[in-house]
């Protein structure tokens, strides 16, 4: 996942409306993460070193209170959310909330769908994908025809998947894999490179200031 960081590598939240508590998101959609970074740079020109950080999905899930009984981390002065693409949120939000409610899960500030299909599963591997596009890519890599991708894919909220993995034997922990798109993998490399550049600039700036003071 990708989150917005400042030059000190602190998580940055953005207000969705005037006076609201800032919301800090962990984005799974690389295009949306890039767009949010550019928007933040325009909206907060005084914040130096804005860049994307990379957080493993498991850590982001825990930080956002995804595990049963957990609360979102309180040391960050923002509402924390795991965030898929805006189009998918709008389309699937009510369905995912209903899923979670039927499983007896508490209401959450976010929903994150994961996708799967029987044709890509086996007794030893059960891949779930963070976007439909990632599933289609895997389908083609597996040697299947792109046009044969089922119109109706299985989709469930990530919290529902974790709940079922924890309380049933339907999904074995050692077979489930959560897979991102190629674009997300590419952005991970870019984000790491940008983070190193920001850290180097910060270190160099500090050294220059110390020399000037001396």
């Amino acid at each position: 996942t990708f989150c917005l960081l400042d030059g000190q590598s602190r998580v940055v939240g953005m207000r969705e409306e005037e006076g609201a508590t800032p919301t800090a998101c962990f984005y799974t959609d690389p295009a949306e993460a890039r767009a949010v970074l550019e928007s933040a740079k325009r909206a907060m020109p005084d914040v130096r070193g804005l860049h994307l950080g990379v957080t493993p999905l498991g850590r982001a899930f825990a930080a956002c209170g995804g595990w049963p009984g957990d609360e979102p981390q309180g040391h960050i002065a923002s509402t924390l959310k795991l965030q898929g693409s805006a189009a998918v949120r709008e389309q699937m939000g009510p369905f995912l909330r209903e899923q979670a409610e039927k499983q007896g899960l508490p209401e959450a500030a976010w929903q994150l769908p994961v996708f799967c299909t029987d044709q890509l599963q086996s007794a030893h591997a059960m891949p779930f994908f963070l976007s439909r596009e990632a599933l289609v890519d895997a389908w083609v890599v597996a040697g299947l025809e792109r046009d044969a991708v089922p119109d109706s894919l299985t989709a469930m909220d990530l919290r529902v998947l974790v709940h079922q993995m924890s309380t049933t034997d339907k999904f074995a922990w050692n077979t489930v894999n959560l897979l991102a798109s190629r674009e997300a993998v590419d952005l991970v490399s870019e984000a790491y490179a940008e983070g190193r550049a920001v850290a180097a600039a910060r270190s160099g700036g500090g050294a220059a200031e110390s020399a000037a003071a001396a």
Side-chain angles (χ1 to χ4, degrees):
T1 67
F2 307 96
C3 59
L4 190 62
L5 302 178
D6 65 13
Q8 302 297 319
S9 293
R10 295 173 297 205
V11 175
V12 176
M14 298 183 68
R15 286 183 170 84
E16 297 178 351
E17 58 185 38
E18 188 68 28
T21 301
T23 298
C25 294
F26 296 90
Y27 299 94
T28 61
D29 181 77
E32 187 162 343
R34 293 179 193 274
V36 167
L37 175 60
E38 294 308 312
S39 176
K41 288 179 177 179
R42 293 192 297 270
M44 298 181 285
D46 296 334
V47 179
R48 299 177 60 183
L50 281 172
H51 64 287
L52 292 175
V54 178
T55 303
L57 179 60
R59 291 185 182 179
F61 184 75
C64 296
W67 294 102
D70 276 1
E71 294 292 334
Q73 290 184 1
H75 64 277
I76 299 175
S78 299
T79 300
L80 298 180
K81 294 182 180 180
L82 260 175
Q83 194 105 300
S85 72
V88 173
R89 291 198 307 274
E90 182 176 350
Q91 178 184 5
M92 300 191 67
F95 165 72
L96 297 173
R97 285 191 290 272
E98 183 179 356
Q99 259 193 355
E101 182 180 351
K102 287 181 177 179
Q103 292 288 321
L105 297 175
E107 185 177 352
W110 54 271
Q111 293 80 42
L112 182 68
V114 292
F115 302 86
C116 67
T117 181
D118 291 343
Q119 288 91 328
L120 293 178
Q121 296 179 353
S122 70
H124 306 291
M126 191 171 291
F128 285 83
F129 299 87
L130 296 177
S131 68
R132 189 182 191 280
E133 293 75 18
L135 186 152
V136 172
D137 285 344
W139 181 277
V140 173
V141 169
L144 302 172
E145 293 293 331
R146 182 180 294 270
D147 292 343
V149 175
D151 292 331
S152 180
L153 301 174
T154 299
M156 68 175 68
D157 184 76
L158 180 59
R159 291 195 308 138
V160 171
L161 173 61
V162 170
H163 175 71
Q164 293 197 0
M165 291 171 67
S166 302
T167 58
T168 74
D169 58 2
K170 186 174 182 180
F171 303 107
W173 288 91
N174 62 340
T175 64
V176 170
N177 291 297
L178 289 161
L179 304 176
S181 65
R182 294 179 182 179
E183 292 78 10
V185 174
D186 291 342
L187 184 55
V188 167
S189 299
E190 293 178 28
Y192 277 135
E194 179 66 16
R196 289 192 294 269
V198 169
R202 182 176 68 236
S203 177
E209 291 173 6
S210 297

